[in-house]
Amino acid sequence: MSEPVPEILRKSMLLSGLSEANRAHVLKDALRRSYGAGETVFLQGEPARAVFIVLSGAVKLVRMTPSGAEAVVAIIGRGRSFAEAMVLRRTPYPVTAEAITACTLLQIDGTRLRQFLVENPEFAIDLLASTFVHLQGLVEQVEKLKAHSGVQRLAEFLAGLAEAEAGGCAVELPYSKRLIAGHLGMQPESLSRAFAKLRESGVESEGNRVLIADLEALRAVAAGER
């Protein structure tokens, strides 16, 4: 990567703790890759040879179950990285990565990254912390799937899209309702019922646009207070 390091990379969890010189070393042979919506970044079972950082757009990580169903493991947005653990362990990718929208990714060579870790123990500790944060996020996701109803999960998801702190607002769904359903651990028909239930709390869905009458009321639903 010969051009100046974008600000989004300076702030990414993977690289934010590095000095300018070390960051440049890690990114020396990094490549920008563009993908169209629906394009595959890598397939489940392929050797893990690179780590990726999302520069724009979004990527979903999915795992195919023995029955052939697709389970959405995570949705990776701008500034986040993925595939670190597999590259460090030199194991195959346990998931398939697919572009949700048109996106640009930075691809970092796994061999260079491992070599840098050996030479820089402090960076290894930072990367371990990054991996722990990701694992903690997955644990919280599983907890929500078990402890929260579908309506609560949807309410929290919608509230998280809002830029306002209170009052009414409109939000745009970042991807299809089918994918949102998978991300929330629901069937599409269950998501439709959850949207219908949220009408009682002032939420109206018009295609990919959602009107929220009262954010505080929506957050109360997410917390199980209503």
Side-chain angles (χ1 to χ4, degrees):
M1 184 177 177
S2 56
E3 65 267 30
V5 176
E7 187 64 22
I8 189 172
L9 291 180
R10 298 176 191 275
K11 294 180 178 179
S12 71
M13 191 174 296
L14 181 66
L15 303 174
S16 61
L18 297 182
S19 66
E20 290 291 339
N22 285 340
R23 191 182 296 116
H25 180 79
V26 172
L27 299 177
K28 182 179 179 181
D29 298 322
L31 301 173
R32 287 177 182 261
R33 296 198 177 277
S34 296
Y35 298 85
E39 281 195 76
T40 299
V41 179
F42 56 73
L43 290 170
Q44 180 177 325
E46 287 183 347
R49 296 193 175 97
V51 172
F52 299 85
I53 301 177
V54 180
L55 299 180
S56 65
V59 173
K60 67 175 179 178
L61 304 182
V62 298
R63 184 172 176 84
M64 300 305 296
T65 66
S67 64
E70 181 184 277
V72 179
V73 175
I75 292 176
I76 311 297
R78 188 171 182 268
R80 291 183 58 195
S81 57
F82 58 98
E84 300 96 328
M86 290 73 80
V87 163
L88 296 180
R89 295 182 61 202
R90 303 185 187 186
T91 57
Y93 293 118
V95 295
T96 291
E98 181 182 306
I100 299 172
T101 62
C103 65
T104 302
L105 308 181
L106 190 70
Q107 180 177 311
I108 301 174
D109 179 70
T111 301
R112 173 175 288 277
L113 185 62
R114 286 194 298 270
Q115 179 184 354
F116 186 74
L117 286 169
V118 171
E119 298 170 353
N120 298 268
E122 289 186 5
F123 178 59
I125 294 173
D126 289 341
L127 187 59
L128 180 62
S130 171
T131 303
F132 175 77
V133 170
H134 178 63
L135 176 61
Q136 186 66 27
L138 291 177
V139 170
E140 291 175 359
Q141 183 177 334
V142 171
E143 181 182 5
K144 289 174 183 176
L145 289 176
K146 289 181 174 294
H148 294 183
S149 68
V151 174
Q152 284 178 281
R153 279 175 260 156
L154 177 58
E156 182 176 15
F157 177 79
L158 294 176
L161 297 177
E163 296 182 359
E165 291 297 324
C169 66
V171 298
E172 295 288 333
L173 298 180
Y175 24 81
S176 71
K177 288 183 178 179
R178 185 175 187 84
L179 181 53
I180 290 171
H183 177 56
L184 298 178
M186 304 163 67
Q187 295 297 320
E189 55 270 23
S190 300
L191 182 70
S192 296
R193 288 194 292 269
F195 266 111
K197 187 70 175 175
L198 285 180
R199 290 197 196 106
E200 301 172 9
S201 300
V203 175
E204 294 290 339
S205 173
E206 301 175 354
N208 281 340
R209 190 166 188 262
V210 178
L211 303 176
I212 302 171
D214 186 342
L215 273 169
E216 292 180 340
L218 187 63
R219 294 189 182 107
V221 172
E225 298 170 1
R226 292 184 57 178

